[in-house]
Amino acid sequence: MDENILGLIAGALTSIAALPQLLKVLKTKNTKDLSAMMLVILISGLSLWVWYGLINDELPIILSNAFAVLLNMILLFCKLTFKK
Amino acid sequence: MDENILGLIAGALTSIAALPQLLKVLKTKNTKDLSAMMLVILISGLSLWVWYGLINDELPIILSNAFAVLLNMILLFCKLTFKK
């Protein structure tokens, strides 16, 4: 498989992975079992990937990781506000 | 900041992010709020990143994503076995 396609698919999957978790949290309003520390570390790492993409002018890395930052920040907001 | 260092730090953070979640699950034995679909999609994406690293012979990408695959597979195993 062409490595660019492989990288795009891998990036897309790891970016949208948070979506089912976010939908579940929005439906159940339960976040007790989620780790806030995981979300903080993940958001920090993903933000650095966005910075990395900006430095290297790599749009796929910028877009996929920026989307993941958004999803995980909403998750963290839910975690801090739902309190269940 | 040198982009390689930035990439290494970003990769390390996104890889170890699952660790606090795993420790929390092992301590509480509660996984009800975790999304199995998230874990399946994440493991698939991370596995493709390992493949991508192998094709490009990039050890940092191979190691960080292989470690993340391991952590998330243990999380998925806990999610499927703890049933709480």
Side-chain angles (χ1 to χ4, degrees):
Chain A
M1 183 188 286
D2 171 69
E3 68 192 31
N4 286 323
I5 293 172
L6 186 59
L8 279 173
I9 298 171
L13 285 173
T14 46
S15 300
I16 64 166
L19 204 52
Q21 181 66 70
L22 182 55
L23 295 175
K24 180 174 179 131
V25 159
L26 292 175
K27 201 173 88 181
T28 64
K29 299 287 189 284
N30 286 333
T31 60
K32 191 169 59 63
D33 301 338
L34 280 183
S35 160
M37 181 56 78
M38 169 187 74
L39 296 171
V40 167
I41 296 173
L42 192 55
I43 291 166
S44 315
L46 293 169
S47 306
L48 289 186
W49 277 123
V50 174
W51 184 8
Y52 179 91
L54 288 169
I55 289 178
N56 291 299
D57 202 21
E58 294 193 47
L59 200 57
I61 288 185
I62 299 167
L63 292 180
S64 58
N65 288 287
F67 182 64
V69 166
L70 179 66
L71 289 184
N72 285 285
M73 285 185 100
I74 299 170
L75 260 175
L76 184 59
F77 175 78
C78 294
K79 171 71 183 173
L80 298 177
T81 50
F82 289 169
K83 282 295 165 217
K84 257 198 324 178
Chain B
M1 183 187 285
D2 171 69
E3 69 193 30
N4 287 323
I5 293 173
L6 186 59
L8 279 173
I9 298 172
L13 285 174
T14 46
S15 300
I16 64 167
L19 205 53
Q21 181 66 71
L22 182 56
L23 295 176
K24 180 174 179 131
V25 160
L26 293 175
K27 200 172 91 183
T28 63
K29 298 286 189 287
N30 287 332
T31 60
K32 189 169 60 63
D33 300 338
L34 280 183
S35 160
M37 181 58 76
M38 170 188 74
L39 295 170
V40 168
I41 296 174
L42 193 54
I43 291 166
S44 315
L46 293 168
S47 305
L48 289 185
W49 276 125
V50 174
W51 185 7
Y52 179 91
L54 288 169
I55 289 179
N56 291 300
D57 201 20
E58 294 193 46
L59 200 58
I61 289 185
I62 299 167
L63 292 181
S64 59
N65 287 286
F67 182 65
V69 166
L70 179 67
L71 289 184
N72 285 285
M73 285 185 99
I74 298 170
L75 259 175
L76 184 59
F77 175 78
C78 294
K79 171 70 182 173
L80 300 177
T81 50
F82 289 170
K83 283 290 165 223
K84 253 197 326 178

